[in-house]
Amino acid sequence: MQMYDYLIVGAGLFGCVFAHEATKAGKKCLVIDKRAHVGGNVYCENVDGIHVHKYGAHIFHTNDKDIWDYVNQFTEFNNYVNSPISISKGKLYNLPFNMNTFYQLWGTKTPEEAKTIIENQIKEFGCKNPENLEEQALSLIGKDVYEALIKEYTEKQWGKKATELPAFIIKRLPVRYTFNNNYFNDKYQGIPIGGYNKIIDGLLKGIDIKTNVDFFKDKDALSGLAKKIVFTGKIDEFYNYKYGNLEYRSLRFENTKLNTENFQGNAVVNYNDSNVPYTRIIEHKHFEFGKQKHTVITKEFPEQWTSEKEAYYPINNDENQKKYQAYKALSLQEVHVIFGGRLAEYKYYDMHQIIASALQKAKKELN
Ligand code: UDP
């Protein structure tokens, strides 16, 4: 029996925003998730008063005032600014690549000095049309920064050579000739006060939710509950992998509670070197300026994805993109299914982009 207008498969940001908008427009939604909780990868676990970002660190940032106002409906944000540190061959560097980083690398004190070095290295490399991540990095920032802070981190993170990865990934990181360690260029940034769960709870208020429900285990019965489906899972799984598997990168998180007040003095410390098996250590309390006597740290280990692991990052190289386009063509023929989010669109989305995309799709659908 079709008791609902929409069955929303996956309670991550896309699903929750869509459900919220549809409910506001008078539609009846059921949100299901195979995990035991809602919130997808923004879900936080409260460990003795510290909000632990259970599926990896999430720092909210956007340039779009409408998106900022949208999330601020549900909770206020603090003024956390992400300024990661990177450790490379025993030395500390500021990120993103800025005057502090250049001073630490070469002792350069003025923008002109730093620019001269970088421009010479770019010229020496002499590539006009970068076609992969390595070429893109070398023609953006030069050899020294690439070797100290990018190559090993990237190859460890993605499990592929930097020459086999798409160029766009490295364009996420700013390059600046100012002493500014802010990882993002966006106008608005922060961490929700009280954690991300507050936003999710606000979005799903009054909406029917069922957790521990695997859509694929009971597809026909679940699909029969609603007029339409909003699918936010893996698009290749939806089509039973008929064109083959899309590749993802997975992660393993190792959480430790320590009876120390301050373990690393920063929320995010990256480990560039290939002989360290994790990419970063997160100390969650620093996202919220925590004053507890204890701390919780998480080591993030990139892993090869297999079907029983979580799919965190789409690997958008040419081969996978081609496969995705074939799946997308099928999805465009669906009349009763809407696809959205990082896994269904096979896209390296940030939170603000997911929200924008969900709002746009909801608007189109509900008008
Ligand atoms: N990256 C790097 N060195 C760093 C941090 C990032 O080379 O210290 C590269 C790496 O290829 C990574 C990409 O930049 O995949 C994007 O990094 P970001 O921090 O935006 O990734 P996320 O937080 O989404 O994992």
Side-chain angles (χ1 to χ4, degrees), residues 90-158:
K91 279 185 74 182
L92 289 183
Y93 297 90
N94 286 107
L95 291 178
F97 314 124
N98 73 82
M99 286 300 295
N100 290 307
T101 328
F102 307 145
Y103 175 71
Q104 291 146 355
L105 261 176
W106 306 305
T108 47
K109 297 190 187 72
T110 65
E112 205 186 320
E113 288 173 305
K115 238 181 202 162
T116 304
I117 297 182
I118 290 172
E119 279 172 4
N120 280 338
Q121 293 190 0
I122 293 172
K123 212 189 295 161
E124 214 167 285
F125 179 58
C127 170
K128 291 277 170 287
N129 295 308
E131 281 179 359
N132 57 55
L133 196 151
E134 177 167 296
E135 290 178 3
Q136 180 66 64
L138 288 170
S139 41
L140 193 75
I141 192 75
K143 177 169 163 283
D144 288 359
V145 174
Y146 177 66
E147 284 176 359
L149 299 168
I150 299 175
K151 183 177 162 52
E152 292 176 39
Y153 183 101
T154 294
E155 295 188 341
K156 163 162 77 172
Q157 161 72 5
W158 294 96

Side-chain angles (χ1 to χ4, degrees), residues 283-302:
E283 188 171 13
H284 302 267
K285 68 190 299 181
H286 296 309
F287 286 130
E288 298 181 74
F289 318 112
K291 296 274 180 286
Q292 299 87 347
K293 290 268 170 263
H294 57 279
T295 194
V296 180
I297 61 162
T298 302
K299 287 183 180 160
E300 195 171 316
F301 298 81

Side-chain angles (χ1 to χ4, degrees), residues 86 95 133 149-150 153-154 157-158 169-170 172-173 183 270 280 313 348:
S86 180
L95 291 178
L133 196 151
L149 299 168
I150 299 175
Y153 183 101
T154 294
Q157 161 72 5
W158 294 96
I169 294 175
I170 204 65
R172 293 168 58 83
L173 274 56
Y183 203 57
N270 290 0
R280 46 193 169 194
Y313 296 90
Y348 192 171

Side-chain angles (χ1 to χ4, degrees), residues 51-88:
H51 295 118
V52 172
H53 296 207
K54 199 171 152 115
Y55 303 95
H58 283 76
I59 299 122
F60 198 89
H61 58 96
T62 180
N63 238 335
D64 184 334
K65 171 105 170 45
D66 291 341
I67 300 295
W68 184 242
D69 290 343
Y70 191 82
V71 291
N72 273 272
Q73 293 176 77
F74 306 108
T75 182
E76 221 181 310
F77 279 65
N78 70 17
N79 62 347
Y80 174 80
V81 170
N82 196 33
S83 308
I85 298 287
S86 180
I87 299 185
S88 172

Side-chain angles (χ1 to χ4, degrees), residues 149-193:
L149 299 168
I150 299 175
K151 183 177 162 52
E152 292 176 39
Y153 183 101
T154 294
E155 295 188 341
K156 163 162 77 172
Q157 161 72 5
W158 294 96
K160 289 195 185 298
K161 294 259 167 251
T163 47
E164 293 162 8
L165 288 163
F168 81 87
I169 294 175
I170 204 65
K171 289 198 219 149
R172 293 168 58 83
L173 274 56
V175 176
R176 282 191 203 113
Y177 292 97
T178 51
F179 290 93
N180 175 0
N181 297 325
N182 186 346
Y183 203 57
F184 303 112
N185 283 325
D186 289 340
K187 221 189 289 180
Y188 309 100
Q189 180 174 173
I191 299 284
I193 295 172

Side-chain angles (χ1 to χ4, degrees), residues 190-253:
I191 299 284
I193 295 172
Y196 283 93
N197 299 5
K198 275 198 135 178
I199 297 180
I200 297 298
D201 292 346
L203 285 165
L204 293 182
K205 199 170 165 200
I207 296 174
D208 289 355
I209 301 168
K210 280 191 185 149
T211 51
N212 293 309
V213 175
D214 185 340
F215 175 69
F216 292 108
K217 289 221 168 102
D218 207 3
K219 194 172 169 188
D220 292 339
L222 286 166
S223 303
L225 293 176
K227 292 181 193 142
K228 281 193 173 182
I229 296 172
V230 175
F231 182 76
T232 73
K234 294 199 289 290
I235 191 166
D236 52 346
E237 187 175 15
F238 188 89
Y239 289 111
N240 213 7
Y241 306 103
K242 68 185 282 182
Y243 300 130
N245 263 81
L246 291 168
E247 271 185 294
Y248 303 91
R249 191 68 173 153
S250 196
L251 299 170
R252 178 171 63 83
F253 299 103

